[in-house]
Amino acid sequence: NAGVTQTPKFRVLKTGQSMTLLCAQDMNHEYMYWYRQDPGMGLRLIHYSVGEGTTAKGEVPDGYNVSRLKKQNFLLGLESAAPSQTSVYFCASSSREVGEQFFGPGTRLTVL
Amino acid sequence: GIQVEQSPPDLILQEGANSTLRCNFSDSVNNLQWFHQNPWGQLINLFYIPSGTKQNGRLSATTVATERYSLLYISSSQTTDSGVYFCAVGLSTGANSKLTFGKGITLSVRP
């Protein structure tokens, strides 16, 4: 039982490049979330999903897209990376019955 | 949106000391979690505690939902307790169970 996993762990991009971050959970959770963490701040919600095929915007959605084609996976895409997107990205999941969220190990992204 | 304030922002303890970390929030919540972010960046679930009191070893937490605050107690602190402690709250446990995080409390436990 791996919980929540994220791929990759580290990535460096140049401005304008694109990439996709993958989140996978094996707890059969309905809800999944993407957050970003910037220095000296708590986590802020980017996008979330309440089920396969559905997504919704969070607090800071601009510049990101997401997809939830399978229940266990939640993808976060950056179409044209900007230096302001340099951050640590965390994925989380929770069940429909209990709101407790479980987090992945994070992806450290640097955009030059 | 809901506001979450944590205090104190920084805390330095001698190993073996006790401490209390506070989380205030601006609205009624149905979801409250405490996390420890260790020096490697990993977020560890400490408590899921929208109300009441829970204990886990040297750690305990109390949430008084009607007064909109939660407290995390650390007793007999150890150097491994160092890191950042986050409180996060949500208005719902259902479809809108997205969390709003405080800015965190940085704890340093010295040997």
Side-chain angles (χ1 to χ4, degrees), chain B residues 17-80:
Chain B
N18 303 328
S19 64
T20 301
L21 287 62
R22 187 177 181 99
C23 173
N24 292 332
F25 41 93
S26 62
D27 206 343
S28 299
V29 300
N30 287 303
N31 188 349
L32 190 146
Q33 292 183 241
W34 281 98
F35 298 91
H36 175 214
Q37 188 167 39
N38 64 23
W40 296 271
Q42 186 180 6
L43 277 168
I44 300 164
N45 288 40
L46 296 178
F47 293 101
Y48 171 68
I49 185 166
S51 63
T53 298
K54 290 186 178 180
Q55 182 158 4
N56 184 2
R58 296 181 295 104
L59 303 182
S60 64
T62 295
T63 297
V64 184
T66 53
E67 298 187 20
R68 301 182 183 173
Y69 73 89
S70 183
L71 302 173
L72 177 69
Y73 304 95
I74 303 175
S75 65
S76 304
S77 59
Q78 301 176 358
T79 55
T80 52

Side-chain angles (χ1 to χ4, degrees), chain A residues 23 25 28-33 48-55 66-75 93-94:
Chain A
C23 175
Q25 52 96 5
N28 202 35
H29 284 167
E30 291 80 9
Y31 304 152
M32 296 186 74
Y33 314 82
Y48 65 101
S49 168
V50 299
E52 188 176 322
T54 68
T55 63
V66 289
S67 63
R68 183 111 180 259
L69 299 180
K70 294 183 179 180
K71 184 178 184 178
Q72 63 269 32
N73 295 339
F74 195 26
L75 305 179
S93 70
S94 65

Side-chain angles (χ1 to χ4, degrees), chain B residues 82-96:
Chain B
S82 295
V84 183
Y85 288 80
F86 288 103
C87 168
V89 303
L91 298 178
S92 168
T93 59
N96 289 322

